[in-house]
């Protein structure tokens, strides 16, 4: 029996290490996509697009290993929760990678257009906030830190506020100079993608909370009924 | 032993029925959100926003029941796959509900603005295509229909093509009449949401395929490197 338990723990630790690695890759993708956009670096943007495959492959691998582990060891209680948490983490992180890839593709397009310096400041600010949330939620995951997870979760609104303000700013810019419409439309989606990455950080905080306590965090604080929501 | 197997099958069938119900709710949300947008019906839009809670609750319930079932019966092989598939289905359908809610919120805003009749035609066309994909993928799920699932999966590009063309059309419209910029920005996100719902239909087709065969469908056909992608 003890032998079985140890084998389970070993394999789960290995899967968790893969999730941590996927988290690191996702963070790098988001960070590099943002840098590529702001510094107008097409080579870095192309790298982000290319590297996304790695995240897809790693997600599949984690999924297969976690499913195998469940079939082989049939975990219950906390062990089952931890295995399911790994699956959910992988799915959220893979989506963050997709969103980063999408930002990188837009960075490639925007790199060919006129620079829009005044808009880059608020995009960068929002990007840094989202990256910090993603980083903190991943920290909470790798350290099983319930306090940090709750902190990330409860500050979900900050990103929404940045997004709302960027949405309005971008529309104003488009109206002021219709030649910027195409570029601003891409930036609208960049802002939306950053907001979604922030949501995934919130999801990750919820997964960590569920993994440790077995309880679902619900009724997340949200800005309802706002224009760009 | 036979008693245990039957109890598992019964509970899994009950969970699958819940997933089918969630699928029906998600379809109705997407369909009503689209109608509310096209017919400029604020009451219907408000109903869609309000009803989204039901989908969230049902997803949580499915998640709890499936987790309970795994803890209690420790399924392996096809039984494990079917249980995990229910979890994934629920998560994809809940996201479709979120996206429909977001379309409904934008329908409320657009209902206060000037009607944009010429743009409604292509939005409606894309909406119908996406609804058909969602419907077919749910059919494939409830009938365990591998052929239909593969068909949905292989026609993933059609939605992308509609989206690309709408993206360009909306930008042209904004440039032609800058007073439509705000409304068109909301329609850009409506189009993006519809594209995402189409992606979820593809995901559902992949889940059905995995559930039945145990194999992952990978390298989905995609339009890469296009402007609005």
């Amino acid at each position: 029996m003890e032998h079985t338990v140890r084998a389970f723990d070993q394999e789960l630790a290995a899967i968790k290490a893969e999730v941590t690695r996927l988290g690191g890759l996702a963070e790098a993708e988001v960070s590099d996509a943002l840098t590529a956009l702001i510094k107008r670096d097409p080579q870095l943007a192309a790298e982000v697009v290319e590297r996304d495959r790695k995240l897809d492959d790693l997600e599949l691998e984690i999924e297969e290993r976690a499913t195998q582990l469940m079939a082989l060891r049939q975990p219950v209680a906390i062990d089952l929760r931890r295995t399911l948490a790994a699956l959910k983490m992988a799915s959220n992180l893979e989506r963050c990678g997709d969103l980063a890839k999408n930002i990188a593709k837009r960075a490639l397009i925007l790199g060919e257009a006129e620079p829009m310096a005044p808009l880059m400041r608020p995009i960068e600010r929002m990007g840094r906030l989202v990256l910090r949330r993603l980083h903190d939620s991943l920290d909470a995951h790798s350290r099983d830190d319930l306090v940090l997870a709750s902190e990330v979760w409860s500050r979900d609104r900050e990103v929404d506020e940045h997004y709302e303000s960027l949405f309005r700013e971008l529309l104003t810019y488009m109206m002021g100079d219709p030649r910027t419409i195409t570029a601003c439309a891409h930036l609208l989606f960049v802002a939306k993608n950053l907001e979604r990455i922030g949501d995934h950080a919130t999801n990750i905080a919820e997964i960590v909370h569920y993994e440790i306590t077995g309880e679902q965090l619900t009724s997340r604080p949200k800005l309802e009924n706002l224009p760009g929501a």
Side-chain angles (χ1 to χ4, degrees), chain A:
Chain A
M1 183 61 187
E2 200 179 295
H3 175 73
T4 311
V5 171
R6 231 184 294 125
F8 174 85
D9 284 343
Q10 253 173 23
E11 176 61 5
L12 186 64
I15 293 171
K16 186 152 179 169
E18 295 280 63
V19 171
T20 303
R21 205 178 119 222
L22 181 55
L25 285 171
E27 240 187 290
E29 284 288 270
V30 176
S31 173
D32 286 349
L34 201 63
T35 304
L37 178 74
I38 288 158
K39 304 246 187 258
R40 301 168 67 84
D41 180 341
Q43 202 184 324
L44 186 58
E47 273 171 42
V48 171
V49 173
E50 180 56 35
R51 270 194 327 230
D52 182 54
R53 267 164 235 244
K54 268 200 204 167
L55 281 84
D56 293 348
D57 291 346
L58 194 49
E59 189 212 359
L60 267 186
E61 197 191 310
I62 291 166
E63 218 172 80
E64 270 163 30
R65 284 180 77 165
T67 313
Q68 278 271 328
L69 182 63
M70 280 192 269
L72 201 64
R73 305 284 173 193
Q74 297 151 35
V76 295
I78 173 83
D79 289 340
L80 176 60
R81 284 211 306 274
R82 288 163 73 200
T83 316
L84 290 173
L87 280 176
K88 283 195 182 183
M89 288 287 303
S91 152
N92 275 278
L93 291 169
E94 187 269 337
R95 267 306 288 159
C96 286
D98 277 351
L99 293 160
K101 178 170 88 166
N102 190 276
I103 292 174
K105 282 186 185 175
R106 295 183 196 279
L108 284 170
I109 298 165
L110 289 164
E112 315 258 295
E114 280 293 301
M116 307 215 289
L119 288 170
M120 284 304 144
R121 195 71 57 85
I123 293 259
E124 189 174 6
R125 218 178 302 129
M126 182 177 178
R128 293 210 180 289
L129 175 66
V130 164
L131 267 170
R132 196 161 56 242
R133 287 181 63 72
L134 183 60
H135 183 84
D136 286 351
S137 70
L138 290 170
D139 251 18
H141 172 257
S142 59
R143 300 193 323 230
D144 290 321
D145 186 335
L146 198 56
V147 176
L148 185 56
S150 305
E151 209 182 292
V152 171
W153 189 79
S154 64
R155 289 210 315 267
D156 187 50
R157 287 180 71 138
E158 283 176 24
V159 174
D160 293 348
E161 282 158 11
H162 269 76
Y163 172 72
E164 294 305 330
S165 124
L166 244 172
F167 180 83
R168 278 187 292 265
E169 207 165 335
L170 284 164
L171 292 197
T172 308
Y173 213 84
M174 285 161 135
M175 291 174 206
D177 182 358
R179 287 168 307 167
T180 66
I181 283 174
T182 302
C184 284
H186 286 295
L187 288 177
L188 273 178
F189 283 114
V190 167
K192 192 66 185 174
N193 288 346
L194 289 173
E195 191 228 14
R196 287 295 305 150
I197 294 166
D199 278 347
H200 286 292
T202 311
N203 291 349
I204 290 170
E206 286 175 357
I207 296 165
V208 172
H209 186 274
Y210 169 74
E211 187 180 353
I212 300 172
T213 67
E215 314 252 305
Q216 301 274 4
L217 277 171
T218 46
S219 67
R220 112 176 21 172
K222 259 287 172 199
L223 287 176
E224 296 278 346
N225 305 319
L226 278 175

